[in-house]
Amino acid sequence: MTQKQRILILLSIDSLIVIFAVFFSFLLRFDFNIDKSYKNTMVYMMILQTVITLFSLHFYKIYKRLWQHASVRDILSIIKATMLASSVFFIVHFFLVHYFFRELIIPRSVFILVGIITVLTISGTRLAWRLLYDGYKKIQPHQKRILIIGAGKTGTTVVKELKHSDDSDYYPIAFIDDDLNKRNLEILGVPVVGNRLDIPTVVSKYEIHEIIIAIPSASKIEIADIISICKMTGKKTRMIPNIQDVINGKLSVSMIRNVSVEDLLGRDPVQANLYEVSEYLKNRVILVTGAGGSIGSELCRQVAGYDPEKLILLGHGENSIYEIEMELKRAFPHLQIEPVIADIQDKQRMRSVFFEFAPEVVFHAAAHKHVPLMEKNPIEAVKNNIFGTKNVAECAHEFQVKRFVMISTDKAVNSTNVMGATKRTAEMIIQQMNKISETQFAAVRFGNVLGSRGSVIPLFKKQIEQGGPVTITHSEMTRYFMTIPEAVQLVIQTGSVANGGEIFILDMGKPMKIADLARDLIKLSGLEPGKDIDIVYTGIRPGEKLYEELLTDEEGTTTTKHNRIYIGRPSNIAQENFDFLLKRLEMVINPKDGVFNNSYVRKILKQIVPTYQLFENAQDIETMEKAAKEAVKASLEIVATVDGKGH
């Protein structure tokens, strides 16, 4: 049926309803014995009332509504349209009778009766259509049986959308809710059958195919607990989108997303001290290097929210800088944004940028971070991570930047790879710079960020979508994880508490086995590890180690006033020897004869960073693994001890 045909049918039905309402009103008024003298009056009223009512219903857009989704709001619109029609008819009738047709007398009670009967009848037909539609819309053979967790407003919205979407492949079977007052009740025909502990039983009893978590107001800890129960069922688990979309009525079936690893972390959002952060960012010129990267772009998004005077997006890749620039211009149209395409390895270019824009705060996120790639290309890692950082730091000192915050990594601790060693050297550079500069230099060290470019989680998701196998380097491979927004919020907060020279260590929670994450992702996709999706262990790659640490033995840690930020005690660095080794390293990566020696680069890195461990054979790797296990255990004990004393 076309839209035009549908409207014509509704117009015809409503015309008949109004005619019936007028006729029945006269019947009631005259005790079902209408005097013949009112025949012309009835015909007159039927015609005029019908025309006015149809125009009024059109004015309130009644004919643009889908009545299989009829609601109280729609009925209120019909009442308003009918009241308007009755009022207009009364005015028009009064004018016509007064000037033209004095013989057309309508009893006052008829006016009231026509309005009431019209409202009841038109509303009744719409609700009848809704009931008929609901009765017809039973689960179809192709539809999957869905369990909704959360019988609140959001859960109800999900049920409406699933039931009334013509192209939906899902049908809601039951609700789960911890509220005892909702137990054994029905919402939109869907029963509330238990609490979260009953999920495995309910899934089995009702032959559920998939689970949808519809509690956007729940804490991340609570969501993680529910997800852990859902994992026991082996059924695919999904979640409703952002709560703001639900509030704005934007929810649709296509927007319900899969559970992500971020949901499994079970950590509530970082509570930043807005006053402290605003004080050093508001109305300031902020420079972000590596602004097109995963961390850099998120830094730009969050910094932009603190109303800086100007935000400078510096990066080497034009496409990524263009994308974050366009995104920020849409989100913050009044913010002055300056995109700069430049390489941090080019000292003169860096000086020109600092001279032109005079940044007051620098977030240094530009770096080569991919461990196996840097292991094969150590010279590029040194050029970018060490001397690129040195260039930016020296410019910050020369042009009197107030604060400089460098993004570092847990791989800088007892590193077994070139990338980690170069980042540790970069930390040492900014600590040395802090001793001679008015600029407050600091570094922030944290582990893996979920979803960043080149990280393992997007790879797992892609492998699962392709049917497997999921590849993991080692069954005991363990890492610390944070979400990108979580890490960046803490980075911004550290900038407010830095006094200069510190290496801040972010609380990463408990380390997680990569293999466990992979299994969780497979299970939450409704698949079974080892059966539907194979897991293949490929062996440790060059430069990787099983366990990452956040602290070296000599650093220890002290607390800050923020309960998720710690400070590592600075290591003593001999300035003269450090400068000498940096010059030697610079000569090696810029050989006069054009012959590069990767082995020599590694040896000098070992001299600069004594904790950098070079492993040549399988026995060395086994020794490394044992040492790493002990180191990470000691690191966790130190953090736990400090946390217990400080908080």
Side-chain angles (χ1 to χ4, degrees):
M1 184 187 299
T2 65
Q3 178 76 358
K4 187 177 291 187
Q5 289 172 329
R6 175 182 164 276
I7 292 175
L8 285 173
I9 290 172
L10 288 174
L11 287 170
S12 301
I13 291 171
D14 291 342
S15 298
L16 292 173
I17 286 172
V18 177
I19 292 169
F20 167 77
V22 173
F23 178 69
F24 195 64
S25 297
F26 273 92
L27 280 178
L28 291 176
R29 170 63 181 80
F30 295 104
D31 296 326
F32 292 87
N33 187 19
I34 305 172
D35 192 282
K36 291 181 179 179
S37 61
Y38 282 98
K39 181 180 178 181
N40 291 336
T41 302
M42 271 200 309
V43 173
Y44 150 76
M45 187 174 186
M46 286 176 180
I47 295 171
L48 187 58
Q49 183 77 39
T50 300
V51 172
I52 293 174
T53 300
L54 294 180
F55 272 107
S56 183
L57 291 170
H58 174 73
F59 176 77
Y60 276 93
K61 299 180 180 179
I62 302 300
Y63 298 115
K64 291 187 176 181
R65 301 171 190 251
L66 289 172
W67 290 101
Q68 59 264 42
H69 305 314
S71 64
V72 173
R73 185 178 297 176
D74 298 315
I75 302 304
L76 288 174
S77 295
I78 290 174
I79 293 172
K80 292 176 183 177
T82 306
M83 289 176 63
L84 176 63
S86 297
S87 300
V88 172
F89 176 81
F90 183 82
I91 294 169
V92 173
H93 171 69
F94 178 82
F95 176 80
L96 291 174
V97 169
H98 187 74
Y99 290 103
F100 300 104
F101 308 108
R102 294 183 179 273
E103 70 279 6
L104 298 175
I105 304 300
I106 300 174
R108 283 172 291 183
S109 58
V110 170
F111 286 106
I112 299 171
L113 287 170
V114 168
I116 294 172
I117 294 171
T118 302
V119 167
L120 293 176
T121 314
I122 293 179
S123 301
T125 57
R126 268 48 172 192
L127 289 175
W129 174 248
R130 164 73 184 270
L131 293 172
L132 180 65
Y133 183 84
D134 282 350
Y136 170 75
K137 288 291 288 185
K138 299 298 183 182
I139 186 168
Q140 302 300 307
H142 72 280
Q143 291 183 310
K144 295 179 180 179
R145 302 167 68 86
I146 301 298
L147 175 65
I148 309 291
I149 300 178
K153 183 177 179 181
T154 304
T156 303
T157 304
V158 172
V159 167
K160 283 181 182 177
E161 183 66 27
L162 292 178
K163 272 194 169 186
H164 299 143
S165 177
D166 292 329
D167 58 350
S168 174
D169 292 327
Y170 308 96
Y171 193 88
I173 297 297
F175 277 114
I176 285 290
D177 200 289
D178 290 339
D179 187 349
L180 292 175
N181 295 322
K182 295 178 182 177
R183 194 68 47 81
N184 300 322
L185 297 179
E186 285 193 1
I187 301 173
L188 299 176
V190 179
V192 182
V193 295
N195 60 31
R196 70 178 71 177
L197 298 178
D198 299 318
I199 291 173
T201 304
V202 170
V203 166
S204 176
K205 179 180 177 181
Y206 290 88
E207 300 178 346
I208 298 298
H209 296 123
E210 292 189 17
I211 300 169
I212 294 177
I213 301 173
I215 323 173
S217 59
S219 68
K220 289 190 176 291
I221 295 173
E222 190 176 6
I223 291 294
D225 181 54
I226 292 171
I227 291 173
S228 67
I229 298 172
C230 293
K231 283 191 298 183
M232 297 164 56
T233 68
K235 301 299 179 182
K236 185 172 183 178
T237 303
R238 301 198 292 163
M239 300 182 69
I240 57 92
N242 185 281
I243 188 170
Q244 200 61 42
D245 290 331
V246 178
I247 292 171
N248 294 335
K250 297 178 182 176
L251 180 63
S252 67
V253 173
S254 61
M255 292 171 64
I256 298 175
R257 66 172 177 84
N258 292 334
V259 170
S260 64
V261 180
E262 288 88 336
D263 301 312
L264 296 172
L265 291 182
R267 289 202 290 266
D268 285 323
V270 177
Q271 299 299 318
N273 186 318
L274 297 181
Y275 174 76
E276 289 180 341
V277 174
S278 295
E279 194 173 20
Y280 88 98
L281 294 180
K282 186 178 177 65
N283 297 325
R284 306 281 188 182
V285 179
I286 314 296
L287 167 65
V288 179
T289 70
S294 304
I295 296 295
S297 60
E298 182 63 22
L299 269 167
C300 294
R301 292 183 193 99
Q302 293 195 29
V303 167
Y306 289 100
D307 196 23
E309 178 186 328
K310 185 183 295 183
L311 181 57
I312 306 159
L313 317 177
L314 189 147
H316 196 212
E318 59 177 323
N319 290 333
S320 58
I321 293 297
Y322 172 77
E323 287 172 5
I324 187 62
E325 180 196 8
M326 291 299 102
E327 179 185 333
L328 292 176
K329 282 184 175 179
R330 286 192 299 270
F332 304 93
H334 302 297
L335 175 62
Q336 189 175 351
I337 299 170
E338 294 287 349
V340 176
I341 305 300
D343 189 342
I344 60 172
Q345 297 178 38
D346 185 341
K347 179 68 175 289
Q348 292 307 313
R349 176 70 173 123
M350 286 299 101
R351 290 189 76 256
S352 69
V353 170
F354 276 77
F355 177 78
E356 179 180 357
F357 297 109
E360 298 167 85
V361 178
V362 173
F363 289 101
H364 178 47
H368 287 328
K369 63 177 184 178
H370 199 281
V371 171
L373 279 179
M374 293 306 102
E375 207 62 24
K376 292 180 179 179
N377 300 275
I379 290 174
E380 292 306 312
V382 168
K383 284 182 179 180
N384 204 60
N385 295 357
I386 294 178
F387 291 103
T389 297
K390 187 170 182 286
N391 289 340
V392 180
E394 287 175 348
C395 287
H397 165 63
E398 180 183 352
F399 292 92
Q400 300 178 337
V401 169
K402 289 183 171 60
R403 294 174 192 260
F404 182 104
V405 180
M406 186 191 89
I407 309 302
S408 190
T409 171
D410 57 356
K411 292 174 178 61
V413 181
N414 296 325
S415 180
T416 59
N417 53 68
V418 168
M419 194 281 280
T422 58
K423 292 298 283 185
R424 175 61 190 138
T425 305
E427 289 179 353
M428 296 163 73
I429 287 171
I430 66 136
Q431 285 185 310
Q432 294 298 92
M433 289 295 302
N434 189 74
K435 294 177 182 179
I436 62 169
S437 177
E438 293 297 318
T439 301
Q440 294 176 340
F441 288 90
V444 184
R445 188 188 290 167
F446 53 87
N448 296 47
V449 285
L450 294 168
S452 64
R453 294 173 194 168
S455 67
V456 71
I457 303 305
L459 173 62
F460 285 168
K461 290 180 178 178
K462 186 175 182 180
Q463 289 175 336
I464 292 170
E465 288 172 4
Q466 294 173 344
V470 169
T471 56
I472 303 172
T473 54
H474 195 286
S475 60
E476 295 298 315
M477 186 71 69
T478 303
R479 292 291 183 267
Y480 290 95
F481 283 102
M482 296 184 90
T483 66
I484 295 175
E486 184 182 23
V488 168
Q489 286 171 35
L490 287 170
V491 167
I492 291 174
Q493 184 70 67
T494 58
S496 69
V497 298
N499 293 314
E502 303 99 334
I503 294 178
F504 291 97
I505 297 99
L506 304 186
D507 175 12
M508 302 287 295
K510 295 179 180 179
M512 304 175 73
K513 283 187 178 181
I514 302 294
D516 290 343
L517 283 178
R519 291 190 189 95
D520 286 344
L521 281 174
I522 294 170
K523 288 178 181 178
L524 291 169
S525 299
L527 302 169
E528 187 177 336
K531 182 179 179 182
D532 302 310
I533 300 287
D534 289 331
I535 295 177
V536 176
Y537 297 102
T538 58
I540 297 176
R541 296 176 296 181
E544 283 188 327
K545 56 182 178 179
L546 289 182
Y547 298 86
E548 298 291 2
E549 307 141 75
L550 292 170
L551 298 162
T552 61
D553 291 336
E554 71 271 15
E555 282 176 328
T557 187
T558 56
T559 59
T560 67
K561 56 186 174 181
H562 195 289
N563 63 0
R564 292 191 58 186
I565 301 173
Y566 302 92
I567 302 174
R569 290 193 297 271
S571 306
N572 292 321
I573 305 168
Q575 181 67 50
E576 289 184 8
N577 186 52
F578 182 63
D579 290 343
F580 171 72
L581 289 172
L582 282 182
K583 287 177 181 177
R584 282 184 61 192
L585 188 60
E586 190 171 14
M587 291 173 63
V588 170
I589 65 170
N590 296 291
K592 292 181 180 179
D593 58 4
V595 179
F596 296 96
N597 191 323
N598 288 336
S599 179
Y600 199 25
V601 169
R602 290 189 176 93
K603 288 178 181 178
I604 298 176
L605 282 176
K606 173 67 176 175
Q607 291 178 290
I608 297 173
V609 185
T611 56
Y612 171 37
Q613 303 167 60
L614 287 166
F615 298 103
E616 305 291 344
N617 52 50
Q619 186 177 358
D620 285 342
I621 293 175
E622 186 179 345
T623 303
M624 171 202 70
E625 292 174 1
K626 289 180 181 179
K629 287 181 181 179
E630 294 300 319
V632 76
K633 182 179 178 183
S635 179
L636 287 171
E637 288 175 353
I638 292 170
V639 172
T641 302
V642 173
D643 193 48
K645 291 178 181 178
H647 305 285

